[in-house]
Amino acid sequence: MEIASVIVDVPVRQTDKEFDYTIPEKWAGMLTPGMRVLVPFGPRTIQGFVTSVREGEETGRLKPIYSIQDLEPALTPELLHLADWLTTNTLCLKIAAFQAMLPAALKAKYKKYLVLSGPLHLVDPEIQPYFASQNKVEFEAAMEHPSARIFQKELKAGHIEAKYEVKNKLNKKTERTVELAVTTEELREAKEKISKSARKQRVLIDFFLEYPDPIAMKRLLQLVNCGDSAVKGLEEKGLVRIKQTEVYRDPFQDRVFEHKSHLPLTEEQSAAFTPIKASIDEEKNDVFLLEGVTGSGKTEVYLQSIDVALKQGKEAIMLVPEISLTPQMVQRFKERFGDRVAVFHSGLSIGEKYDEWRKIFRKEVQVVVGARSAIFSPFQNLGIIIIDEEHEASYKQEETPRYHTRDVAIERGLYHRCPVVLGSATPTLESAARAQKGVYKYLQLAGRVNQRPMPSVEIVDMREELRAGNRSVFSKVLMEKMIDRLEKKQQIILMLNKRGHSSFVMCRSCGEVSQCPNCEISLTYHKYSNSLKCHYCGHEEGMPSSCPACGSEAIRYFGTGTQKVEEELAKLLPQARVIRMDVDTTSRKGSHEKLLKAFGTGQADILLGTQMIAKGLDFANVTLVGVLSADTMLYLPDFRSSEKTFQLLTQVSGRAGRHELPGEVVVQSYTPEHYSIVLAAKQNYEDFYQQEMMVRKTNMYPPFFYITLVTVSDEDLMKVVSVTEKITSYLRKGLSPQAVILGPSASPISRINNRYRYQCLIKYKREPNLNHILHNIIEHYQQDSAHKGLKIVVDQNPQIMM
Ligand code: ADP
Ligand code: ZN
Ligand code: ZN
């Protein structure tokens, strides 16, 4: 009798282990690790993941599995192994690790069907009756069939396949596609025999001789400019086949991508490309750090490295921050690799993401371009993993499992024996330090392709402006340059560095600032709804007409939100057409792309926005970039604030003058002498690195020390304080004297959603026991019902210190 070990989907510590179930006879031999099953668990039926299957004695003590949910594993052996790694390294639950790797469609309960994927007569006669009247069978009904394994056999043979129905979204669309029924040789011969009068047919043949891949009928007719009768003519001659195939909901499907081939590499690019290629060829799990300013040709190096892997029949993962998953970026990959690319971005619906994921699983694509979670793409023969803009904070997942994408990538590289390439103009100090020590291999692109000059950057001291009587958000210099560009019909990008700088409401009589009743944080004013919102708990209230504290009517909003800058632009430069891009204008699906497209096609003179405009954009006509408030990030309680300021300013400066027209950047600051601002203006990464490394060393921060942040929260303040105290002293006892343990102290945001927050910060160089100790702490408080409601979050290598 077969026995399966199962990890059940109950997200608590007590059940974070394998439970055994017997496999009923009808499913014997069908289950393998990575498949999902439904099992009885106490009074409930819940989902679980099979982790192993073994032969065992029927003892009567084990319960049988209720039903099976997959005929093929949803997780590959490698991903199962990676889940172990995630569990150990981020202290998460096994089930959380599994869930993090799967597309959402597989997490929720959607109806699943088995459908015919070819003609009925190919299917085993025993199950043919199921498909006789319709081409799909409910999955669960099929599994109840006495010989359920016949369905599995047919699935493996490709005669049927499993499909999900995500409510009204996941219904598969089909379309006609045309593919060659003969070789290109035969096609060329056939062309000789076709009469001169069948002109369209001959054009079609020429097309296929050049692009022999299958193509959608609609697109083909567009490209060749003919009617479908010509295609049918070729079909009658047996040269092509017209098929109904499933269309994936590809958000880029309306676009025709012109195929582009590789650019001849510059000398510098070759020097970077050669060792990467060697590493792929020799199957080495090297980690490369590729440092190169924007426009230095990193993407071209990525594209050609990926091509090396593909040529060897391997696969590639290309990670970019969500924010730079721009149409321009995706376009370059589509132009180079065509239909072999799947794209994952947050604009996709659940069904669309599932479609992309299936393409990987069925080996229909070899390249994935996506944000963080794409690192879990279920490829089985990876040849390279690339992380662009490796310094971006979004590569760290801020919920459990709290993994850093870079670490996962390196772990997968180890398994597949393939290189990982980290690219950036401003690498994290951690990566740069590792490259310096030789742990990573350092590659550099020092100049821009074609020697295009870096833009000139001017720093304006806003304190001087104020002294000179200028109360506008625009300095005199920036204003003059904007007027100049408007006259020349060139475009301008204005960036408001908004992090930690929201438009709050204050009473001018008594100084009262509107606070969230649930969180220790001021409320943000939203003009369109004339309301105040809390960005942490979602609390919303109407804008008061008088001060709740003193009753004065002199209550108004402060700060320079994008809306306010937009108003000021309308006053000062009424002739300018402005597009505003921030969370308010881009929350709807596709609006991000629409706004960028409008700007790109010259429908506006000024693009005004928050950090989200800083990266990934490439507009030929932009010759001026203004940074309105360079230093708002510098004083956040975060040891990376200088690094983040440097990165952002360097990035945004790189936006200007990427094409024929030279670019200028104006950076407005209240602390213009700060080294992160001065060195960003010079695009001097090297000096910034040296200076910041000294600061980190003095203060014992990464990359000299590792840090782990433990945050405790509860509605009861006394309890939070006492538990954090206990945790801190337990850590002091367990760790070596070299470890620095700071705390307990109130978190920078000391209350969120009525829960008080305290923390303890651990800095250390080598503490082999740390994970074990932290695990004990979590275990202890999770299992004690006296601590119900208490939450402990352990964040290793935290990116957000709040
Ligand atoms: P990065 O990714 O470092 O910002 P890109 O790869 O986007 O740089 O290159 C910047 C610009 O230079 C792009 O327009 C790209 O098409 C062009 N480019 C890159 N490599 C070459 C090359 N070898 N020859 C000609 N043009 C190139
Ligand atoms: Zn007041
Ligand atoms: Zn709140």
Side-chain angles (χ1 to χ4, degrees), residues 608-619:
L608 163 68
T610 50
Q611 280 90 337
M612 67 171 72
I613 62 173
K615 295 142 199 149
L617 311 183
D618 192 357
F619 298 109

Side-chain angles (χ1 to χ4, degrees), residues 263-266 269 292-304 332 336 388 445 449-450 452 618 655 658-659:
L263 301 168
L265 293 179
T266 63
Q269 282 174 322
V293 293
T294 38
S296 62
K298 293 188 296 295
T299 308
E300 187 63 33
V301 174
Y302 302 153
L303 290 165
Q304 301 202 17
R332 288 178 73 179
R336 210 61 70 88
D388 190 31
L445 299 176
V449 177
N450 301 340
R452 285 185 197 115
D618 192 357
R655 291 299 112 213
R658 295 189 49 156
H659 298 267

Side-chain angles (χ1 to χ4, degrees), residues 516 518-519 534 536-539:
C516 174
N518 310 319
C519 312
C534 170
Y536 286 87
C537 72
H539 171 84

Side-chain angles (χ1 to χ4, degrees), residues 125 329 647:
M329 163 86 197
Q647 287 163 349

